[in-house]
Amino acid sequence: DPFEGIVDIHDRIKCVGNPYERFREDPLRILRAIRFDTQLNIHIETKTYIASLDLIDLLDSISAERIQQEFLKSLDTVNFANVFMRQIRVMFKVFPEFETCYLFDQKNPYHIYDVYNHSVEAVLHVEDKDRITKIATMLHDIGKPDCCIEDENGIRHFKGHGKRSAEIADSILQRLRFDNHTRESVVELIKYHDAEFVVGKKHVRRWLNRIGEDQFRRLLDIREADVKAQNPAYIQDRIDKVQTIRLQLEEVLQEQSCFSLKDLNISGSDILSLGYASSPKIGQCLHYLLDNVIDELLSNDHESLLKSAEEFMSK
């Protein structure tokens, strides 16, 4: 064991020989050291850490695909939030959009952290979730500094930050060459993360119709993590609301409620059989029927739907 590797495994993460030479050979080792730190929860040895920061600009020479893969390996660990807290300069190098979030005071009674550290706290609450949920939680407020308005009382508001954060996240994930499914799913979640969440099965069915079951479950996880990372004095009612909506989601799924066109007990062919010619109005009719079934204004019964379809088409 000429390089005392056994000691390093139990004690610290350290380059073999001169860390400057090792990082110049392959700058991706800077991110790999952080990943080992995250996976093993062992701190990087001081000289190695200093060298990694001194040479951090060498990451510009590494392909986006390699950086993405190293990032995802860190993301998959249960200590990923430690990267946020301990590796700020590296995070700023890979995600420069976070620089404006760091120490950005939200000046709002619902928040006790700056935007960056709020994101850290939120990630702590989703570390057992899938990659899409983690990435969306990590980036959910990254557009807040761009949307900040301070009122006459000195309280800051961030209207539209969900949309702006989604735009920035889309740009980041394209830059890092993420696959389209991951990118589109993350962007959708960030766009809706600050939407109004209303208790009621019809509202659950609306969400299921809009984004599907998997995404709605992720959205509730992100919403809960977001709330838990805010001022503890104001979170309990909102956490209770999320839990109630979770229970209603399970009930809607168990009841096999209708929340999409494929669940509707009528088809375009059924409407055509009434003697109407094929036209865009057929699709409009189906969406009209679905809206009424979701809102419980109409039962998902074939005869009832057929009667309502005829009334709609005859107008």
Side-chain angles (χ1 to χ4, degrees):
D1 188 16
F3 301 106
E4 298 182 345
I6 296 295
V7 174
D8 290 339
I9 287 173
H10 295 287
D11 183 44
R12 62 197 183 280
I13 296 164
K14 178 183 177 183
C15 285
V16 173
N18 187 325
Y20 287 86
E21 292 179 4
R22 299 294 82 76
F23 289 138
R24 286 193 179 97
E25 289 169 355
D26 184 1
L28 190 67
R29 287 171 177 162
I30 294 170
L31 296 183
R32 193 168 294 145
I34 293 170
R35 192 240 303 176
F36 291 154
D37 179 5
T38 306
Q39 286 179 324
L40 305 174
N41 201 24
I42 300 174
H43 288 282
I44 302 172
E45 181 259 348
T46 301
K47 291 181 180 179
T48 298
Y49 182 66
I50 291 172
S52 72
L53 296 183
D54 286 347
L55 300 176
I56 198 168
D57 286 342
L58 293 179
L59 287 173
D60 293 337
S61 66
I62 300 298
S63 71
E65 289 82 359
R66 293 185 74 202
I67 290 175
Q68 179 214 119
Q69 289 305 308
E70 203 58 54
F71 165 72
L72 288 176
K73 289 174 182 177
S74 293
L75 187 75
D76 287 340
T77 69
V78 295
N79 294 311
F80 174 68
N82 288 336
V83 175
F84 259 132
M85 290 186 286
R86 296 208 297 250
Q87 305 293 344
I88 292 174
R89 280 191 59 189
V90 176
M91 288 296 292
F92 289 172
K93 188 64 182 177
V94 179
F95 303 98
E97 295 84 354
F98 267 128
E99 287 197 55
T100 57
C101 298
Y102 187 62
L103 300 181
F104 189 91
D105 191 342
Q106 302 199 62
K107 294 185 181 179
N108 188 290
Y110 286 98
H111 289 279
I112 58 175
Y113 301 107
D114 62 62
V115 175
Y116 186 85
N117 283 288
H118 164 73
S119 301
V120 174
E121 291 295 318
V123 168
L124 282 169
H125 295 290
V126 295
E127 289 196 316
D128 61 340
K129 305 302 179 182
D130 65 7
R131 284 178 172 180
I132 289 172
T133 303
K134 286 184 178 181
I135 297 170
T137 304
M138 170 184 161
L139 301 175
H140 77 283
D141 276 354
I142 201 164
K144 267 191 169 181
D146 291 354
C147 303
C148 179
I149 297 176
E150 192 166 317
D151 66 22
E152 64 277 9
N153 298 315
I155 297 175
R156 288 180 170 177
H157 306 275
F158 305 94
K159 186 177 180 179
H161 79 271
K163 181 176 182 292
R164 180 57 183 148
S165 296
E167 292 170 350
I168 295 173
D170 191 37
S171 175
I172 291 171
L173 298 182
Q174 286 192 57
R175 183 177 72 234
L176 293 178
R177 303 290 193 272
F178 273 81
D179 63 275
N180 288 336
H181 171 70
T182 298
R183 178 176 58 81
E184 290 167 2
S185 297
V186 167
V187 169
E188 181 177 61
L189 291 169
I190 295 175
K191 176 183 175 182
Y192 291 129
H193 85 273
D194 200 45
E196 184 179 7
F197 286 76
V198 182
V199 172
K201 290 184 181 180
K202 74 175 183 180
H203 300 290
V204 170
R205 288 192 290 269
R206 284 274 173 214
W207 277 113
L208 291 171
N209 173 257
R210 182 181 297 176
I211 63 177
E213 179 185 348
D214 290 344
Q215 281 287 84
F216 188 47
R217 289 187 185 277
R218 290 182 180 121
L219 189 61
L220 291 176
D221 287 336
I222 294 167
R223 178 63 173 172
E224 184 171 346
D226 187 13
V227 171
K228 287 181 176 178
Q230 297 176 15
N231 188 340
Y234 298 101
I235 71 172
Q236 195 55 55
D237 287 346
R238 286 178 291 159
I239 294 297
D240 291 344
K241 181 184 285 189
V242 172
Q243 295 301 340
T244 299
I245 294 172
R246 287 189 200 279
L247 292 174
Q248 292 180 337
L249 170 61
E250 298 306 326
E251 291 173 4
V252 166
L253 294 174
Q254 288 174 8
E255 294 165 358
Q256 297 183 326
S257 296
C258 174
F259 54 81
S260 66
L261 288 175
K262 66 181 178 60
D263 301 322
L264 204 58
N265 201 12
I266 191 174
S267 66
S269 298
D270 294 323
I271 299 174
L272 291 172
S273 70
L274 297 173
Y276 297 101
S278 179
S279 72
K281 196 172 182 181
I282 301 293
Q284 295 169 11
C285 180
L286 290 172
H287 283 286
Y288 166 80
L289 295 173
L290 177 61
D291 285 342
N292 279 273
V293 170
I294 287 175
D295 288 340
E296 300 176 351
L297 299 174
L298 190 63
S299 67
N300 193 25
D301 170 74
H302 181 73
E303 292 304 319
S304 299
L305 292 171
L306 207 58
K307 181 180 178 181
S308 294
E310 191 162 20
E311 291 173 355
F312 180 90
M313 295 298 294
S314 64
K315 290 180 181 178

